[in-house]
Amino acid sequence: MKKRKVEVVVISDVHLGTYGCHAKELLQYLSEIKPKILILNGDIIDIWQFRKSYFPASHLKVIKKIISLSSKGTKVYYLTGNHDEFLRKFTDLHLGNLSLLNKLVLNLDGKKAWIFHGDVFDASINHAKWLAKLGGWGYDILILINRFLNWILARMNKEPYSLSKKIKNNVKSAVKFITNFETVCTDLAIENKYDYVICGHIHEPKIEYISNEKGNTIYLNSGDWIENLTALEYNNKKWKLYKHAPSDLITEEEQFEYENQLAEQFITLLKN
């Protein structure tokens, strides 16, 4: 199969090792492209929720694919996020085409791109990490329930439904947090004369031109591979959002596995 050439690809918030991760779809996407630069913008491996009992072969294949891309000439930058913050103790590590960093500034056709995960601007992580970890666990449970719901809806020939998006769009504090996050990122980018500011963390894919009294910038967010299945691609001096179509069908075997996972999560909650 002929692979699609891409100058720069940015993905984030894959959360390998969690039930909500769409590893199979991500592997399919990575197998279809040939990027010069691949930027993994945080929360690729979910160390917060890592458990020996759950790291499927499909998740491991994603890691192997990234290593394979690196060995074949793709420059890979792994930028750490909050869920893989353990790796920050090894920052500025360079192994062949693979670099482990906290942030990155790239020169793209004469324009500067400031790239980082974004958790540094999240007060809940900086001041109440236990609450953030609890929220991450709850989010994984919500996604698992949502998949079960969509499995039922599919068999009723109805459209899939996103519980988390419904919550985000209807809870004022969630909307305010996202707005504040984007404002802080873009204000700093404009102040420091960056043409692009590229983040992850909030699972909200977006490309938006932003201006204020001090100047302008372009805000980009790569989204996630839990719900949105999105990536940022740069070609011919332009950015675009790529959206991968999720697998429409869940097999009976996979559904049985989801039900067991859901039961396991609730048992763990009761034990704690």
Side-chain angles (χ1 to χ4, degrees), residues 16-246:
L16 293 170
T18 66
Y19 300 133
C21 173
H22 280 271
K24 292 178 183 177
E25 287 87 348
L26 177 56
L27 181 62
Q28 183 182 16
Y29 171 60
L30 292 175
S31 298
E32 293 172 352
I33 60 173
K34 186 178 181 181
K36 290 182 180 178
I37 297 173
L38 173 62
I39 300 170
L40 309 172
N41 198 9
D43 289 1
I44 305 302
I45 301 173
D46 198 318
I47 296 174
W48 276 10
Q49 300 183 73
F50 182 80
R51 59 184 77 79
K52 291 181 181 178
S53 62
Y54 188 78
F55 203 88
S58 59
H59 293 218
L60 187 59
K61 285 179 182 178
V62 170
I63 296 174
K64 289 181 177 178
K65 184 62 182 179
I66 291 168
I67 294 172
S68 174
L69 287 170
S70 174
S71 67
K72 292 177 181 178
T74 295
K75 180 64 179 175
V76 178
Y77 294 100
Y78 192 127
L79 310 184
T80 51
N82 49 301
H83 284 255
D84 45 21
E85 63 180 352
F86 172 79
L87 298 174
R88 283 178 175 162
K89 62 176 69 178
F90 306 109
T91 192
D92 295 326
L93 177 68
H94 304 276
L95 297 171
N97 280 328
L98 177 63
S99 296
L100 180 67
L101 305 167
N102 290 335
K103 57 186 176 181
L104 176 68
V105 175
L106 275 185
N107 188 308
L108 299 174
D109 297 305
K111 293 186 176 183
K112 289 194 296 181
W114 181 32
I115 311 166
F116 57 97
H117 182 64
D119 57 295
V120 67
F121 299 128
D122 191 336
S124 67
I125 290 172
N126 294 320
H127 302 296
K129 189 172 292 185
W130 67 270
L131 185 61
K133 288 185 176 182
L134 182 63
W137 185 91
Y139 179 68
D140 203 25
I141 278 281
L142 182 66
I143 294 299
L144 196 58
I145 293 171
N146 205 158
R147 284 203 185 179
F148 179 64
L149 171 64
N150 285 338
W151 180 77
I152 295 171
L153 290 173
R155 276 150 181 76
M156 297 170 65
N157 293 318
K158 293 188 176 182
E159 292 293 318
Y161 185 83
S162 175
L163 291 171
S164 67
K165 287 183 180 179
K166 184 70 174 178
I167 292 170
K168 284 180 184 177
N169 293 335
N170 287 277
V171 177
K172 289 183 180 179
S173 59
V175 175
K176 184 180 178 182
F177 167 77
I178 292 171
T179 302
N180 289 345
F181 176 89
E182 294 172 351
T183 300
V184 169
C185 292
T186 53
D187 283 353
L188 283 172
I190 291 171
E191 187 175 330
N192 289 282
K193 309 298 181 185
Y194 291 117
D195 300 284
Y196 310 113
V197 54
I198 304 172
C199 307
H201 188 55
I202 58 173
H203 296 208
E204 287 288 318
K206 182 181 286 189
I207 298 178
E208 186 174 1
Y209 178 86
I210 302 292
S211 64
N212 61 25
E213 67 278 1
K214 294 182 179 179
N216 57 72
T217 191
I218 296 178
Y219 168 81
L220 305 100
N221 196 297
S222 45
D224 65 275
W225 286 81
I226 301 292
E227 295 178 86
N228 296 295
L229 281 62
T230 50
L232 290 166
E233 296 183 352
Y234 180 82
N235 267 320
N236 301 317
K237 301 182 181 181
K238 292 182 180 179
W239 285 99
K240 75 169 187 178
L241 264 173
Y242 168 87
K243 186 169 178 62
H244 193 87

